[in-house]
Amino acid sequence: VAVHTAAATFTPSGRIADADASEHAHLVWRLIEEWRKRGVAVDFDGGTEDEVLQQPIAEVRAVETSSVDDEGRVRYTFKATGEFCSLHLLREEEAPRPELQAIDHRFRVGAPVLCIASESEAFGEMGTVEKSAGGSKAVEACFRLGRAREEQEALQSAIQQAVVRQHQTLRWWSLDELTREVSLNPHVVKQILGSLMARGGDNVREDIGMNLVCETWEDHVATPLCLPTYSARWKGTWMFSDLAVEALRDYASNFPGLFAALRDRRPRGRDLDLRLAFPDSPDADYAARRLVKYCTMCPFKQLRLANEDYMALAAPAITEVVRIVDEANAMFERQPLCMERIVGVGNLYLVGDRRSRVPPGLLSGSSARVGQRGLCVDPRGPVPCGVKGTVLGIYGSGEEQLLELLLDEETFGATDLNGRTPPMRGVQVSVESFMPHLPHATGREVDASIAAAAAAPVRNRAGRSETLARGRWANANGAAADGGQTFTSGSEANGRHAPAAGTPSLGPPPPQWGAKAFPPLPSRLVGASATRSEAAEGDVSADEEYWASRFAEFLRLGSPQRRSQGA
């Protein structure tokens, strides 16, 4: 770090600073005393005591750890604090170069390897080395054949259709629209959507807010935090999904006294007394503990907050993806076992080897998409290398971006992601350790597959064909523009109630949508809510379906007399 003498201090950058001779002599004397305590005698030939106290001192930082990087170079980590020693006792030493091991020593027979030959059906499968003698081009490994590319594309398309369906059915509300929808006081809604600190009879501080609107402060700068699939921030405006509306309604119906107490509350930095929420309860402390337990067990309390630049699926979409993946895996396991041998070190990734790496072109990078299939390739990650999964969420951006994966099977090291996935099937990994199953699919091709999935007909349980189109996936044949909706069923398209050519057919919207049209939905927000209600089993005639839909609309909107009275 520096060399200190009685007259000056020298640094490696060439800077020279003046020094105090008395302080330097005191430093040298202290070092000599420390050496003597350790049993080391320091003696300079022909030097007086004053000359000994003027010897140069070196300030160094000792090596804390050393490691070998992927290119075989030694990397050192130095201690944060410096140490002093005599310059005469230092000597320069070159770092030893690591010995390069031969191929047969690295790729030992039985070593686990990952197939990275993108043209092979064994791509992304784990295998073992069977032959290592004869050089790098003669290394041979055996793998079980995975799904064919057509099967991979079919599975990917089915997952993308589930993502698109949930994306189209989830509505986002502004704060004013949310307040009117739940028929609550705006002052109460603003308090309950954020962080609401309260104390019960035992004086324990609890947060009973929904935490849909949060901020973190750093250097007097506020960073908004959202609750994935419940809240989002788009162009400076807070938006809330149907899941937030349902959760708020359930909260208000279970604890109306709390919302009544918040109506007249003025925070002023003081915590809420939970006993005020139960004025008529014979045991207010017990009721307060029951409220805290309810709030703690709610799904919106178990999720982790995320930055506003996130994309994620909600629970209904995840349930559908789990079903699709499990059915595909069960079908694949029933297929006969086929093996393939891959030759060449360039087609293999040796798990845990510092010099072996996955080509950067095969990794997802910034092109990861929600619903994309792939596998983990980090040998030091939370789950073993080669575990397959589906992207459920993307959080952050750049090098710090994290992917939320639904694993194909239960794996040690995985969790349930706070209730978002089945047990031992959820994990968060960095974007640099995720390799897609379709390595040659670019971001535009993935978007094209999403568009194709959106325009593809979806068969419901009654056997009718439904075509959903909305936003950027709307087509030119009478599909709705941004903010519209299209629902075309077989009976309406062919019956007397079919619209004119080129006119979108608007069927009765589901109850959770309300009678309003969709607001513009950001394309980066991917969510889920309750899917469209499907018809019962069996054939339904056009007239029966028409009158059934009109009767459902009558029950939802009420009679004309009630509407005229403002009911």
Side-chain angles (χ1 to χ4, degrees):
V1 178
V3 175
H4 303 274
T5 64
T9 298
F10 303 87
T11 61
S13 61
R15 180 185 174 188
I16 302 176
D18 296 336
D20 190 345
S22 60
E23 292 183 0
H24 180 77
H26 178 71
L27 177 60
V28 175
W29 178 82
R30 190 174 59 186
L31 287 177
I32 294 176
E33 289 297 320
E34 290 180 358
W35 291 331
R36 288 176 178 174
K37 291 179 181 179
R38 299 175 185 175
V40 179
V42 180
D43 187 14
F44 290 88
D45 296 336
T48 63
E49 184 177 357
D50 293 339
E51 293 176 348
V52 171
L53 295 180
Q54 294 180 3
Q55 64 173 309
I57 296 298
E59 182 182 356
V60 299
R61 284 195 300 166
V63 174
E64 190 172 28
T65 59
S66 62
S67 60
V68 180
D69 61 8
D70 296 336
E71 299 180 358
R73 294 178 297 184
V74 180
R75 299 289 185 180
Y76 293 105
T77 302
F78 298 95
K79 293 183 179 180
T81 58
E83 301 177 0
F84 295 95
C85 64
S86 175
L87 183 62
H88 300 86
L89 301 181
L90 288 182
R91 66 176 181 178
E92 294 184 2
E93 182 178 351
E94 294 184 359
R97 295 185 178 181
E99 298 181 359
L100 299 180
Q101 296 181 348
I103 293 296
D104 55 348
H105 286 280
R106 292 175 54 209
F107 290 83
R108 299 178 181 272
V109 175
V113 289
L114 177 70
C115 178
I116 56 176
S118 57
E119 301 299 332
S120 172
E121 291 186 4
F123 175 78
E125 298 294 331
M126 290 294 298
T128 56
V129 177
E130 291 190 345
K131 179 182 177 182
S132 59
S136 60
K137 296 183 179 180
V139 175
E140 185 177 302
C142 184
F143 301 89
R144 178 187 177 180
L145 288 181
R147 295 185 179 90
R149 185 176 180 86
E150 294 77 11
E151 296 175 344
Q152 294 281 8
E153 292 176 350
L155 176 58
Q156 184 70 75
S157 177
I159 295 176
Q160 293 295 351
Q161 288 190 32
V163 173
V164 170
R165 282 196 297 268
Q166 302 300 340
H167 176 75
Q168 293 170 338
T169 56
L170 185 66
R171 177 178 178 179
W172 291 84
W173 311 70
S174 65
L175 182 59
D176 295 338
E177 294 174 342
L178 173 66
T179 303
R180 291 193 296 267
E181 180 67 18
V182 297
S183 302
L184 292 175
N185 189 303
H187 177 66
V188 176
V189 173
K190 290 181 180 179
Q191 294 183 73
I192 202 68
L193 290 182
S195 180
L196 180 60
M197 306 307 298
R199 295 179 185 268
D202 50 3
N203 203 30
V204 176
R205 202 165 188 243
E206 299 284 354
D207 185 1
I208 60 173
M210 299 180 67
N211 303 131
L212 303 187
V213 179
C214 295
E215 290 181 343
T216 177
W217 289 83
E218 185 176 357
D219 297 335
H220 305 286
V221 177
T223 302
L225 297 177
C226 307
L227 196 65
T229 69
Y230 280 83
S231 63
R233 190 172 172 86
W234 178 249
K235 294 183 178 180
T237 303
W238 283 99
M239 305 292 290
F240 306 93
S241 68
D242 289 333
L243 303 179
V245 175
E246 296 173 3
L248 184 57
R249 282 175 176 166
D250 186 72
Y251 203 166
S253 62
N254 281 281
F255 300 97
L258 172 63
F259 287 76
L262 293 177
R263 189 179 300 112
D264 301 327
R265 176 177 180 262
R266 296 297 179 265
R268 298 176 182 175
R270 301 180 60 182
D271 296 342
L272 173 68
D273 189 354
L274 283 179
R275 290 173 293 185
L276 299 177
F278 308 97
D280 301 330
S281 176
D283 191 348
D285 293 339
Y286 171 76
R289 290 193 298 269
R290 190 170 65 89
L291 187 152
V292 173
K293 183 178 180 180
Y294 165 84
C295 188
T296 305
M297 298 300 295
C298 285
F300 56 79
K301 272 294 188 180
Q302 299 178 8
L303 296 178
R304 296 179 59 183
L305 297 175
N307 293 331
E308 55 183 341
D309 52 346
Y310 79 89
M311 294 183 289
L313 290 180
I318 295 176
T319 302
E320 188 172 359
V321 172
V322 170
R323 178 187 59 80
I324 294 173
V325 172
D326 290 347
E327 291 179 356
N329 291 336
M331 186 180 301
F332 176 72
E333 292 298 331
R334 290 194 295 267
Q335 296 179 2
L337 184 64
C338 299
M339 308 299 292
E340 182 178 357
R341 285 176 169 79
I342 303 297
V343 181
V345 173
N347 297 323
L348 306 175
Y349 167 62
L350 183 59
V351 179
D353 185 72
R354 299 180 184 274
R355 297 172 57 190
S356 181
R357 61 176 59 188
V358 178
L362 297 180
L363 300 178
S364 61
S366 60
S367 62
R369 298 290 192 275
V370 172
Q372 191 173 19
R373 296 274 302 161
L375 63 150
C376 303
V377 294
D378 187 4
R380 302 175 184 85
V383 294
C385 180
V387 174
K388 303 179 181 64
T390 306
V391 178
L392 299 181
I394 303 176
Y395 303 95
S397 59
E399 297 179 354
E400 299 180 355
Q401 191 176 72
L402 294 177
L403 303 181
E404 202 175 52
L405 301 183
L406 168 69
L407 304 182
D408 288 3
E409 56 187 12
E410 296 182 358
T411 307
F412 285 108
T415 64
D416 63 347
L417 293 178
N418 300 314
R420 284 176 54 78
T421 65
M424 300 178 65
R425 291 187 62 179
V427 68
Q428 276 193 349
V429 298
S430 64
V431 69
E432 298 297 334
S433 60
F434 179 76
M435 185 174 72
H437 269 309
L438 302 176
H440 300 296
T442 62
R444 293 183 178 179
E445 292 177 353
V446 174
D447 290 339
S449 65
I450 295 176
V458 181
R459 296 287 176 179
N460 58 21
R461 284 183 290 184
R464 295 193 305 273
S465 174
E466 299 176 0
T467 301
L468 305 178
R470 181 181 177 274
R472 59 173 177 169
W473 294 294
N475 53 33
N477 299 323
D482 281 343
Q485 54 182 332
T486 300
F487 180 87
T488 305
S489 63
S491 59
E492 290 181 340
N494 300 322
R496 57 181 176 178
H497 311 294
T503 304
S505 172
L506 298 180
Q512 67 268 22
W513 288 351
K516 302 177 182 178
F518 275 99
L521 178 64
S523 60
R524 65 180 180 85
L525 295 178
V526 181
S529 68
T531 56
R532 295 176 182 266
S533 58
E534 298 177 343
E537 298 288 345
D539 296 330
V540 182
S541 64
D543 290 338
E544 290 174 345
E545 183 178 6
Y546 171 76
W547 288 114
S549 63
R550 293 299 171 264
F551 182 67
E553 184 177 6
F554 175 84
L555 293 179
R556 180 170 56 83
L557 299 178
S559 62
Q561 291 80 4
R562 293 180 61 190
R563 291 199 301 270
S564 63
Q565 297 172 2

